[in-house]
Amino acid sequence: MKSYNLPHIYIIAKPIAMTELPSNLGRNVVDAIIALIRDRRLRSGDSLPSEADIAASVGVSRTVVREAFGAMAALRLIDVGSGRRPRVGAIDDQVIGLPLRHAVDTAQATVAQLWDARRALERRTAELAAIRRTDAEARAILDHAAALRGAGYALAEQTEHDIAFHLAIAAATGNPIFPLMVGAFSDVMRHTCPIGWRSRRTEAERLAVFDQHDRIAQAIEARDPDGAEQAMMAHFDLSLRALTNSGFN
């Protein structure tokens, strides 16, 4: 059998029931697999050793390895499928997004606190997008702003265009971490954006939402990082005010 040079985990020699295994054993196997991915410089989509190979190399049962695979799959670190070896996973914003939604649902953080953090993040993405964007990316951002306005009062469609607008700005930074972090707020946005929209009572207040997205897009197209940053901050000031008016704090 091929050796994978995984860090060995020592367990007691006598047979024991799975319920008696140390609680950190599965975590140790996860750490060993992560070390393998790092040391072998595996990339997204690359295959990992089989469950049996890892179990033999690390010195644990296949059940423990299976549990480690399950934990890693839940975190999107690996991709598991029936009948094939697990593969290295691609980064996924839901790994961050689910805990954010959970934090709000369980009153560990407020929507306003999330939006305050998002404001700081997207202030930077707007600035960098204005500096680094390609012509195609600038056009995509403008198109999303136009689609947002075109959606009018169709709130579900409007929200999806809003999410796409902010993700396009994040992508234009050239830093893959920004789309991951901005995308993590998508689930909360789907819940809060329609509520914030309904708190805007006048036509002028609602049109201001579209106008602000236009200003951000135009500043990015003009390669004006200061203007893009200021427009994004003004947008979030308005959004936070709408959330407060709708009852979020």
Side-chain angles (χ1 to χ4, degrees), residues 4 46-51 53 79-87:
Y4 291 95
D46 289 347
S47 294
L48 290 168
S50 70
E51 182 181 286
D53 286 342
D79 178 28
V80 295
S82 178
R84 63 171 175 79
R85 287 187 176 184
R87 300 177 185 275

Side-chain angles (χ1 to χ4, degrees), residues 30-225:
V30 169
D31 289 343
I33 297 169
I34 289 173
L36 170 72
I37 293 171
R38 180 186 64 245
D39 295 344
R40 289 181 166 265
R41 299 182 179 179
L42 300 181
R43 297 295 181 260
S44 176
D46 289 347
S47 294
L48 290 168
S50 70
E51 182 181 286
D53 286 342
I54 290 178
S57 296
V58 178
V60 298
S61 73
R62 292 180 62 172
T63 302
V64 176
V65 177
R66 195 173 302 123
E67 290 173 351
F69 278 171
M72 295 181 74
L75 293 172
R76 314 294 174 89
L77 298 176
I78 65 172
D79 178 28
V80 295
S82 178
R84 63 171 175 79
R85 287 187 176 184
R87 300 177 185 275
V88 179
I91 56 176
D92 188 328
D93 58 43
Q94 286 303 301
V95 175
I96 304 173
L98 288 173
L100 291 181
R101 180 62 189 266
H102 178 69
V104 171
D105 290 344
T106 57
Q108 297 181 67
T110 67
V111 171
Q113 287 170 333
L114 257 63
W115 254 230
D116 191 32
R118 184 179 160 220
R119 180 181 187 270
L121 173 68
E122 298 212 42
R123 174 180 181 178
R124 179 62 170 163
T125 64
E127 177 188 23
L128 287 178
I131 296 169
R132 299 176 180 173
R133 60 82 176 164
T134 64
D135 289 346
E137 288 168 336
R139 173 48 54 189
I141 293 166
L142 287 165
D143 288 347
H144 286 307
L148 175 61
R149 186 183 291 273
Y153 290 9
L155 298 186
E157 181 183 355
Q158 182 193 108
T159 298
E160 293 307 313
H161 287 305
D162 198 354
I163 292 169
F165 174 83
H166 288 279
L167 283 172
I169 293 172
T173 67
N175 182 335
I177 300 301
F178 281 125
L180 181 68
M181 297 176 70
V182 170
F185 292 94
S186 297
D187 191 36
V188 181
M189 286 182 70
R190 291 186 178 97
H191 176 64
T192 60
C193 285
I195 296 172
W197 176 264
R198 293 187 188 100
S199 75
R200 297 175 170 98
R201 302 298 184 186
T202 69
E203 184 73 5
E205 288 176 324
R206 292 175 172 177
L207 289 176
V209 175
F210 304 137
D211 292 342
Q212 286 192 326
H213 285 80
D214 288 342
R215 281 193 286 272
I216 295 167
Q218 290 161 5
I220 291 172
E221 183 192 33
R223 298 190 185 278
D224 177 6

